Amino acid sequence: MASKIRTKHRIFYKRSMCTHIPLSAGFANVWRMTSGKQIGSLVRQLRKAQGMTQTELAEAIGRTMDAVSMIERGNSVPSVETLIALSKALNASIETLLLPEDAQITPARRDKISQGYAVLASLPDDKLLIAVDQLRALARSS
């Protein structure tokens, strides 16, 4: 059973070996589930591509080599702080670490989505319902 963790704006569900993550600020209601093994596998690939050892990565992110090993094997899901440190040490965005390649969005597309989100957020509720219905119809037709 998942336990709820309530924050000021969202409820996160804590589960073993997986975490729910927002795609980006412009995607407040869109969530994907990424397993610890997927994150760990990508961390290992990125570390090796950088030519780093687990010990070097551990020093760069302020964690132990055992912690890095557990992340890479998928036995531990990194905290938000560790994800930030990993993204800096591995020269990769947090989105790259958390999302499968097919779910990643180009910067140009992300900008367009953010612009659309801003427009939708500015609408009153009655017009927002109409806009969402129109977007669904448009998505179905493509």
Side-chain angles (χ1 to χ4, degrees):
M1 184 84 176
S3 61
K4 288 183 184 180
I5 301 173
R6 186 173 290 274
T7 65
K8 184 176 179 183
H9 300 289
R10 292 190 177 91
I11 296 175
F12 294 86
Y13 291 90
K14 185 178 176 183
R15 297 181 182 184
S16 63
M17 298 310 297
C18 66
T19 183
H20 292 279
I21 44 178
L23 291 175
S24 72
F27 297 89
N29 295 320
V30 181
W31 297 79
R32 293 255 326 216
M33 197 163 62
T34 303
S35 75
K37 289 198 182 289
Q38 289 171 317
I39 294 169
S41 176
L42 186 56
V43 167
R44 177 176 284 143
Q45 288 174 352
L46 292 170
R47 175 182 59 79
K48 288 184 175 185
Q50 296 277 334
M52 297 175 80
T53 65
Q54 285 184 339
T55 303
E56 291 169 334
L57 180 57
E59 289 173 7
I61 66 170
R63 302 293 185 267
T64 66
M65 189 202 67
D66 288 337
V68 170
S69 176
M70 288 180 67
I71 290 168
E72 287 186 355
R73 287 180 287 140
N75 293 338
S76 175
V77 177
S79 67
V80 173
E81 292 82 11
T82 302
L83 282 171
I84 293 167
L86 283 167
S87 75
K88 289 177 183 175
L90 297 171
N91 297 318
S93 69
I94 292 177
E95 183 177 275
T96 299
L97 291 173
L98 295 178
L99 296 176
E101 228 175 271
D102 64 343
Q104 293 176 21
I105 299 170
T106 65
R109 183 171 175 86
R110 183 179 301 111
D111 288 343
K112 285 181 178 49
I113 292 169
S114 292
Q115 290 170 9
Y117 178 80
V119 170
L120 291 171
S122 71
L123 295 174
D125 287 347
D126 59 331
K127 291 187 179 184
L128 178 61
L129 292 172
I130 294 167
V132 169
D133 287 341
Q134 290 176 341
L135 287 171
R136 285 186 182 130
L138 184 60
R140 282 190 300 266
S141 68
S142 56

